[in-house]
Amino acid sequence: MDATVVAVAGDGGDGDHRRPLLAPTNEIRPYPESPLPPLPLGTDAKPEQQKPPRVASLDVFRGFTVAMMILVDDAGGAWPGINHAPWFGVTVADFVMPAFLFIIGVSAALVFKQTPNKVATSKKAAYRAIKLFILGIILQGGYIHGRHNLTYGVDLDHIRWLGVLQRIAIGYFLAAMSEIWLVNNILVDSPVSYVKKYFMEWIMAIMISAIYIGLVFGLYVSNWEFKVQTSNSTFSNTSHEVGFKMIHCGVRGSLGPPCNAVGFVDRLLLGENHLYKNPIYKRTKECSVNSPDYGPLPPNAPDWCLAPFDPEGLLSTLMAAVSCFVGLHFGHVLIHCKSHSQRMMSWLLASTVLTVSAFLLQLLGMPFSKPLYTVSYMLLTGGVSGFLLLLLYYIVDVMHIKKPLILFQWMGMNALIVYVLAACELFPTLLQGFYWRSPENNLVDATESLLQIILHSKRWGTLAFVFVEIIFWCLAACFLHMKGIYLKL
């Protein structure tokens, strides 16, 4: 079955059959590696149209990213080393979400390379972004309570409006609109014409970054108060008000947890009730005796350790959309460069520039921070994503070494199904609804406990369970792919 790129996108045409989100479509292919052979003299026959080979490394990249999401989400609690950095700095986990946004950009560049009807294509892209956003609210807004909790439902006064899927929807929408409306309709036959064609998209990405920097360092963050909760639960509907705490700020340009402009904008526009109630800075040394893991508050812990903060807030999501724009550039290279060497050299140069720029910004005082999605963090993760795509492209599409990575390719072809069922814990939650006498006696917990007993370690048993989970979803994605089943949005 032919396949390649995105899924949340569309090409504006009418034949949009079985196109999955963040997954393949047989209409999306780069230009051929070499031109068709010339016709013999004296013949009027037309050459047989040959389809260029599918870029399988994009599927592998996407599947590997989803697998890493499952790994860091399910094993990060047992292994803090692969969990997200508490506030500043980066770990392996901090490269996963930007890589997902990056590959959306790459895919969008291929999907929208031809848009004869811009209005119709824009409506289709907007409609898909809205559906993805609504799905995110349902899955990550607090309605589903996750593993070890067989209840569901959310108080609308405390629903969380933003999350991972909502961030993907916003990033995809901005990238799609830019690709549809800001690309000049000119032939690319030189580096100069390439710049002219995509110049406005680059300006758009620079403007978003400039707005972010201006707000983060220019907004005045005044003193603010928040409601103290009786529970630190992830889901806001389980919390209970018991009082108020005052946070003293009165500063501009702070990047620390209590007084940054990212949190200020979210509290102002979304409201405290609709923010994430278990923020990552609870794992900092100021807020946890078990740092970098969650734990009891240390003596004299600051009051902001109990305050809400949304890691997928408005301002950080605006900056995260630029990761999609970085992916657009890599997709454009895939379209216009006709040889493997040209593509790889262009990607190598872009990835190097992004990575070096990230460290220069860090030296100038902008640290890497996923919760804030700082510009330096965006550049670093964009550069690393580019290096990873370059490596996978060389292995899979140049050297044609596909079998060792076939599991990731299958998962990448059904990325949305796997993410919703596994990474959002929908499937294990449903499975835990069937138990023997006590809710703890279910297949999911029993499997994890068995592996912990066999390995004589809770941590290693959990890690083994997560690897089994990833393999299970790879095989499930293979079955769905063989049956031609994709989740379409």
Side-chain angles (χ1 to χ4, degrees):
M1 178 177 292
D2 293 333
T4 19
V5 195
V6 166
V8 290
D11 61 351
D14 294 327
D16 188 22
H17 302 295
R18 239 176 34 185
R19 178 168 304 161
L21 172 72
L22 300 175
T25 168
N26 57 0
E27 298 175 7
I28 306 167
R29 297 170 183 273
Y31 295 143
E33 182 72 20
S34 58
L36 295 173
L39 290 172
L41 294 177
T43 178
D44 294 329
K46 294 183 179 180
E48 182 181 354
Q49 187 75 313
Q50 297 182 2
K51 288 184 178 181
R54 177 171 58 85
V55 186
S57 55
L58 299 185
D59 294 325
V60 175
F61 186 104
R62 192 181 303 109
F64 178 75
T65 303
V66 174
M68 288 300 298
M69 282 185 174
I70 298 174
L71 176 65
V72 301
D73 287 345
D74 293 353
W79 297 84
I82 60 173
N83 206 342
H84 295 287
W87 191 256
F88 293 128
V90 289
T91 66
V92 173
D94 295 313
F95 290 94
V96 177
M97 183 67 227
F100 212 62
L101 295 169
F102 171 87
I103 199 62
I104 289 173
V106 176
S107 303
L110 301 177
V111 171
F112 298 111
K113 66 177 182 285
Q114 294 178 348
T115 53
N117 190 334
K118 294 182 181 294
V119 174
T121 306
S122 298
K123 289 181 179 179
K124 186 176 293 186
Y127 183 51
R128 284 176 171 164
I130 291 172
K131 288 190 291 185
L132 182 60
F133 193 95
I134 294 174
L135 178 63
I137 293 177
I138 294 173
L139 294 178
Q140 299 168 329
Y143 180 80
I144 298 174
H145 298 171
R147 284 185 60 183
H148 311 298
N149 196 329
L150 299 182
T151 63
Y152 65 91
V154 61
D155 181 356
L156 293 178
D157 191 44
H158 292 270
I159 191 171
R160 184 186 175 206
W161 295 117
L162 296 177
V164 174
L165 286 174
Q166 296 94 310
R167 172 168 286 185
I168 292 173
I170 294 172
Y172 160 72
F173 176 76
L174 292 177
M177 292 300 106
S178 298
E179 193 70 9
I180 294 169
W181 293 101
L182 299 184
V183 174
N184 294 316
N185 188 22
I186 60 176
L187 177 67
V188 175
D189 54 7
S190 67
V192 174
S193 60
Y194 177 88
V195 173
K196 289 182 178 179
K197 186 176 182 70
Y198 299 111
F199 178 75
M200 288 305 299
E201 282 192 339
W202 296 0
I203 294 298
M204 180 69 144
I206 293 173
M207 287 178 59
I208 293 175
S209 301
I211 292 172
Y212 173 88
I213 293 174
L215 292 175
V216 165
F217 290 99
L219 277 179
Y220 177 78
V221 180
S222 59
N223 298 339
W224 57 282
E225 64 179 13
F226 67 96
K227 300 171 186 177
V228 179
Q229 312 293 343
T230 59
S231 171
N232 292 334
S233 172
T234 299
F235 301 101
S236 53
N237 61 318
T238 61
S239 300
H240 305 282
E241 303 172 12
V242 296
F244 291 88
K245 292 286 186 179
M246 175 64 70
I247 305 299
H248 298 278
C249 293
V251 296
R252 300 180 192 269
S254 173
L255 298 180
C259 299
N260 61 81
V262 174
F264 170 75
V265 170
D266 290 338
R267 293 190 298 272
L268 180 66
L269 299 181
L270 297 178
E272 174 195 330
N273 287 346
H274 302 287
L275 303 183
Y276 191 61
K277 295 299 187 294
N278 198 35
I280 195 170
Y281 57 62
K282 287 188 177 181
R283 294 171 43 229
T284 60
K285 292 181 180 179
E286 295 88 345
C287 301
S288 173
V289 295
N290 297 332
S291 181
D293 198 2
Y294 289 106
L297 290 172
N300 300 320
D303 290 337
W304 54 260
C305 290
L306 301 176
F309 178 87
D310 206 309
E312 282 83 34
L314 292 170
L315 202 53
S316 58
T317 293
L318 182 67
M319 194 63 229
V322 182
S323 292
C324 293
F325 283 80
V326 174
L328 285 177
H329 170 70
F330 281 73
H332 297 152
V333 169
L334 189 62
I335 292 172
H336 296 292
C337 294
K338 295 180 173 58
S339 69
H340 292 316
S341 59
Q342 287 179 332
R343 293 169 180 170
M344 294 174 65
M345 288 304 298
S346 298
W347 287 344
L348 178 62
L349 176 62
S351 301
T352 302
V353 170
L354 289 168
T355 305
V356 172
S357 300
F359 283 102
L360 287 177
L361 274 182
Q362 186 191 36
L363 292 176
L364 294 175
M366 182 173 285
F368 304 134
S369 176
K370 179 186 180 297
L372 299 178
Y373 219 104
T374 55
V375 178
S376 58
Y377 170 76
M378 181 276 298
L379 293 171
L380 177 65
T381 54
V384 172
S385 297
F387 284 126
L388 178 59
L389 178 61
L390 172 62
L391 176 63
L392 293 176
Y393 181 81
Y394 177 75
I395 295 173
V396 176
D397 294 303
V398 178
M399 300 300 295
H400 301 289
I401 303 174
K402 298 182 179 180
K403 289 185 178 180
L405 300 171
I406 191 65
L407 292 178
F408 294 133
Q409 185 175 355
W410 291 335
M411 186 178 285
M413 290 178 177
N414 293 276
L416 180 62
I417 295 178
V418 175
Y419 179 81
V420 169
L421 294 179
C424 294
E425 296 190 331
L426 184 59
F427 181 77
T429 300
L430 293 174
L431 200 60
Q432 283 185 324
F434 299 93
Y435 57 86
W436 175 253
R437 294 184 178 178
S438 174
E440 293 78 20
N441 300 327
N442 61 77
L443 181 61
V444 179
D445 290 341
T447 303
E448 184 174 1
S449 298
L450 177 62
L451 291 172
Q452 291 173 350
I453 293 173
I454 293 174
L455 297 175
H456 303 286
S457 170
K458 185 175 181 180
R459 297 177 69 208
W460 286 103
T462 298
L463 185 62
F465 172 78
V466 173
F467 281 126
V468 170
E469 183 182 6
I470 292 174
I471 294 174
F472 168 81
W473 286 112
C474 286
L475 297 178
C478 170
F479 174 80
L480 294 173
H481 169 61
M482 294 176 65
K483 295 294 183 180
I485 300 174
Y486 302 100
L487 180 58
K488 175 186 174 182
L489 273 181

